[in-house]
């Protein structure tokens, strides 16, 4: 259901057509049943295309052997930091040296948080479940153990002005060991 999809966050993304899949099925079944009871032919629309590449249906990813960062850096360290100031409506971007997200799908957790400084405390204002945040992960190359996580936050006109930062969470896999947690934090920036 739509409500289950909202609670499950990323786990709900495994439905083929997203959070409104059930509603779409019900609407089509009601239409078909109405046509059947009237004895009329149904005018069927073509089904929406399924992006099998995005779903990974035909791909068989290699297991994660290990994750690494370039010499002098670390998993969770900032690769490309935020700018110092942004205006409401801007897109804030930051990149981190990252572990493969398949090491831990962060079920019930989050890959990112956007935090605002309130007094002396950081308060979480957005997570990866927010519509205006994006988490992207890319390997540097097919055979590389290095990868980059890109986090985008599209600031809303209604966002509070102030000092913010973006944090990234994940698990990295050392060679011949079980995955271990890591985190990284962007520089502070001002939103006005």
């Amino acid at each position: 259901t739509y409500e289950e999809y909202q609670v499950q966050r990323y786990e709900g993304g495994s439905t083929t057509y997203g959070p409104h899949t059930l509603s779409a099925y019900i609407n089509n079944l009601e239409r078909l049943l109405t046509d059947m009871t009237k004895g009329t032919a149904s005018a069927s629309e073509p089904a929406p295309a399924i992006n099998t590449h995005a779903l990974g249906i035909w791909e068989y990813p290699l297991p994660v052997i290990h994750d690494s960062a370039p010499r002098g850096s670390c998993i969770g360290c900032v690769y490309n930091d935020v700018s110092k100031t942004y205006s409401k409506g801007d897109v804030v971007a930051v990149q981190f040296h990252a572990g493969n997200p398949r090491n831990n799908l962060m079920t019930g957790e989050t890959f990112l948080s956007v935090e605002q400084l309130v007094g002396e405390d950081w308060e979480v204002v957005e997570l990866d479940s927010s519509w205006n945040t994006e988490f992207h992960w890319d390997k540097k190359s097919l055979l590389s153990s290095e990868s980059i996580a890109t986090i985008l936050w599209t600031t809303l006109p209604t966002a509070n002005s102030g000092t913010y930062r973006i944090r990234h969470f994940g698990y990295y896999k050392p060679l011949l060991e079980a995955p271990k947690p890591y985190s990284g934090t962007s520089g502070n920036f001002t939103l006005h």
Side-chain angles (χ1 to χ4, degrees):
T1 66
Y2 177 80
E3 293 77 15
E4 290 171 326
Y5 189 95
Q6 299 310 308
V7 171
Q8 292 177 350
R9 297 170 29 167
Y10 280 112
E11 303 92 285
S14 64
T15 60
T16 306
Y17 300 115
H20 302 287
T21 301
L22 178 61
S23 297
Y25 284 137
I26 289 171
N27 287 342
N28 278 311
L29 282 173
E30 286 176 344
R31 181 181 53 81
L32 290 170
L33 288 171
T34 301
D35 289 345
M36 287 170 58
T37 57
K38 290 181 180 177
T40 59
S42 294
S44 296
E45 298 176 11
I50 298 173
N51 184 343
T52 56
H53 177 72
L55 293 174
I57 291 174
W58 306 116
E59 295 179 4
Y60 299 99
L62 297 172
V64 179
I65 305 300
H66 89 289
D67 296 301
S68 67
R71 183 168 294 196
S73 191
C74 66
I75 303 284
C77 288
V78 173
Y79 178 68
N80 282 321
D81 209 355
V82 295
S83 297
K84 293 291 180 191
T85 61
Y86 293 90
S87 297
K88 293 177 184 180
D90 287 350
V91 176
V92 180
V94 60
Q95 293 180 308
F96 296 91
H97 293 286
N100 190 315
R102 289 187 293 130
N103 292 327
N104 185 318
L105 299 179
M106 306 295 282
T107 304
E109 299 178 62
T110 186
F111 283 107
L112 68 94
S113 66
V114 177
E115 302 175 356
Q116 183 179 18
L117 184 61
V118 178
E120 295 181 10
D121 298 319
W122 290 99
E123 293 186 7
V124 174
V125 295
E126 306 281 2
L127 297 170
D128 59 14
S129 59
S130 303
W131 286 105
N132 56 325
T133 62
E134 296 178 34
F135 174 78
H136 301 273
W137 175 84
D138 286 306
K139 286 183 75 74
K140 285 202 165 184
S141 70
L142 181 63
L143 299 177
S144 175
S145 60
E146 296 178 18
S147 56
I148 300 294
T150 302
I151 296 173
L152 304 174
W153 175 41
T154 302
T155 62
L156 301 175
T158 56
N160 293 325
S161 296
T163 301
Y164 288 84
R165 69 182 183 184
I166 295 176
R167 298 193 67 208
H168 167 49
F169 307 94
Y171 282 73
Y172 74 98
K173 185 166 184 326
L175 189 61
L176 304 175
E177 294 182 40
K180 297 180 179 183
Y182 73 90
S183 64
T185 305
S186 75
N188 297 349
F189 59 93
T190 304
L191 182 67
H192 56 84

